[in-house]
Amino acid sequence: MSKLVLIIKREFIAKVRNKSFIVMTFLSPLLFVGIGCFVGYLSTMKADLKTIAVHDETGRFVNQFKSDEEYKYVDYSKVDLKILKDSILKESYEGLLVILAKEDTVHFCE
Protein backbone atom coordinates (compact mmCIF):
# COMPACT_ATOMS: atom_id res chain seq x y z
CA MET A 1 0.00 0.00 0.00
CA SER A 2 2.87 2.37 0.75
CA LYS A 3 4.22 1.89 -2.79
CA LEU A 4 0.85 2.98 -4.22
CA VAL A 5 0.87 6.13 -2.07
CA LEU A 6 4.43 6.93 -3.23
CA ILE A 7 3.45 6.48 -6.88
CA ILE A 8 0.37 8.70 -6.50
CA LYS A 9 2.38 11.36 -4.69
CA ARG A 10 5.11 11.37 -7.35
CA GLU A 11 2.60 11.61 -10.21
CA PHE A 12 0.70 14.43 -8.49
CA ILE A 13 3.88 16.45 -7.90
CA ALA A 14 5.01 15.86 -11.48
CA LYS A 15 1.69 17.21 -12.81
CA VAL A 16 1.52 20.17 -10.41
CA ARG A 17 5.06 21.33 -11.20
CA ASN A 18 4.24 21.47 -14.90
CA LYS A 19 4.02 25.08 -16.19
CA SER A 20 0.87 24.43 -18.19
CA PHE A 21 -0.93 23.24 -15.05
CA ILE A 22 -0.02 26.42 -13.18
CA VAL A 23 -0.98 28.69 -16.08
CA MET A 24 -4.30 26.96 -16.71
CA THR A 25 -5.16 27.00 -13.01
CA PHE A 26 -5.25 30.80 -13.12
CA LEU A 27 -6.21 31.30 -16.77
CA SER A 28 -9.30 29.05 -16.89
CA PRO A 29 -11.36 31.03 -14.35
CA LEU A 30 -10.43 34.30 -16.06
CA LEU A 31 -11.44 32.84 -19.40
CA PHE A 32 -14.85 31.77 -18.07
CA VAL A 33 -15.46 35.19 -16.51
CA GLY A 34 -14.43 36.87 -19.76
CA ILE A 35 -16.81 34.75 -21.82
CA GLY A 36 -19.64 35.50 -19.38
CA CYS A 37 -18.98 39.24 -19.57
CA PHE A 38 -18.88 39.09 -23.37
CA VAL A 39 -22.23 37.27 -23.54
CA GLY A 40 -23.72 39.79 -21.11
CA TYR A 41 -22.48 42.67 -23.24
CA LEU A 42 -23.93 41.16 -26.41
CA SER A 43 -27.31 40.61 -24.77
CA THR A 44 -27.59 44.28 -23.77
CA MET A 45 -26.95 45.57 -27.29
CA LYS A 46 -30.06 46.79 -29.06
CA ALA A 47 -30.88 45.50 -32.51
CA ASP A 48 -31.32 47.85 -35.44
CA LEU A 49 -34.81 48.95 -36.36
CA LYS A 50 -36.18 46.60 -39.02
CA THR A 51 -38.72 47.97 -41.47
CA ILE A 52 -41.31 45.52 -42.81
CA ALA A 53 -43.67 46.40 -45.67
CA VAL A 54 -47.19 45.00 -45.28
CA HIS A 55 -49.52 44.41 -48.24
CA ASP A 56 -52.91 43.24 -46.93
CA GLU A 57 -55.53 42.82 -49.64
CA THR A 58 -58.18 41.77 -47.12
CA GLY A 59 -57.72 44.80 -44.87
CA ARG A 60 -58.36 42.64 -41.81
CA PHE A 61 -54.84 42.21 -40.51
CA VAL A 62 -52.95 45.39 -41.34
CA ASN A 63 -54.03 47.09 -38.09
CA GLN A 64 -52.81 44.12 -36.04
CA PHE A 65 -49.15 44.90 -36.78
CA LYS A 66 -47.95 47.41 -34.20
CA SER A 67 -44.57 49.07 -34.57
CA ASP A 68 -42.19 48.87 -31.62
CA GLU A 69 -38.52 49.45 -30.85
CA GLU A 70 -37.42 46.49 -32.97
CA TYR A 71 -39.87 46.43 -35.91
CA LYS A 72 -41.56 49.16 -37.92
CA TYR A 73 -44.51 48.08 -40.08
CA VAL A 74 -45.42 50.20 -43.10
CA ASP A 75 -48.83 49.75 -44.78
CA TYR A 76 -48.63 49.40 -48.56
CA SER A 77 -52.02 47.76 -49.06
CA LYS A 78 -53.14 50.26 -51.71
CA VAL A 79 -50.06 49.79 -53.92
CA ASP A 80 -50.10 47.18 -56.69
CA LEU A 81 -48.19 44.05 -55.68
CA LYS A 82 -45.99 43.93 -58.79
CA ILE A 83 -44.92 47.53 -58.34
CA LEU A 84 -44.41 46.95 -54.63
CA LYS A 85 -42.09 43.96 -55.12
CA ASP A 86 -39.88 45.98 -57.47
CA SER A 87 -39.74 48.99 -55.18
CA ILE A 88 -39.05 46.89 -52.07
CA LEU A 89 -35.87 45.52 -53.62
CA LYS A 90 -34.61 49.06 -54.27
CA GLU A 91 -35.46 50.45 -50.83
CA SER A 92 -34.13 49.50 -47.41
CA TYR A 93 -36.83 47.12 -46.19
CA GLU A 94 -36.04 43.94 -44.31
CA GLY A 95 -39.03 42.10 -45.68
CA LEU A 96 -42.41 42.14 -47.37
CA LEU A 97 -45.51 40.55 -45.83
CA VAL A 98 -48.25 39.78 -48.37
CA ILE A 99 -51.75 38.70 -47.32
CA LEU A 100 -53.85 37.71 -50.33
CA ALA A 101 -57.63 38.10 -50.39
CA LYS A 102 -58.38 35.17 -52.70
CA GLU A 103 -56.95 32.33 -50.65
CA ASP A 104 -56.71 33.99 -47.22
CA THR A 105 -53.13 32.81 -46.93
CA VAL A 106 -50.01 34.57 -45.76
CA HIS A 107 -46.84 34.65 -47.88
CA PHE A 108 -43.46 35.83 -46.64
CA CYS A 109 -41.06 37.30 -49.19
CA GLU A 110 -37.51 38.42 -48.53
Side-chain angles (χ1 to χ4, degrees):
M1 189 70 172
S2 64
K3 290 181 183 180
L4 182 62
V5 172
L6 288 173
I7 292 171
I8 292 173
K9 188 175 183 180
R10 185 180 76 77
E11 287 295 322
F12 177 75
I13 290 173
K15 294 291 181 185
V16 170
R17 286 189 182 169
N18 194 354
K19 288 182 183 180
S20 64
F21 177 81
I22 294 170
V23 169
M24 289 307 292
T25 300
F26 296 108
L27 189 63
S28 296
L30 293 176
L31 187 65
F32 282 117
V33 169
I35 290 172
C37 291
F38 182 67
V39 168
Y41 170 73
L42 289 179
S43 67
T44 60
M45 292 178 60
K46 289 190 175 185
D48 294 336
L49 181 66
K50 295 174 181 68
T51 306
I52 308 292
V54 179
H55 180 80
D56 183 11
E57 292 179 357
T58 63
R60 291 186 280 172
F61 303 106
V62 71
N63 295 329
Q64 301 297 321
F65 298 103
K66 304 293 181 192
S67 298
D68 57 12
E69 295 176 359
E70 192 172 350
Y71 294 102
K72 177 183 175 186
Y73 296 99
V74 182
D75 181 19
Y76 285 113
S77 298
K78 296 178 181 171
V79 179
D80 186 36
L81 188 58
K82 292 178 183 179
I83 297 170
L84 185 60
K85 285 182 182 179
D86 292 336
S87 65
I88 291 296
L89 294 174
K90 296 175 187 173
E91 297 184 29
S92 61
Y93 291 99
E94 297 293 325
L96 170 63
L97 175 64
V98 178
I99 304 171
L100 300 175
K102 297 175 187 174
E103 303 167 9
D104 284 339
T105 57
V106 178
H107 296 279
F108 295 98
C109 302
E110 290 190 29

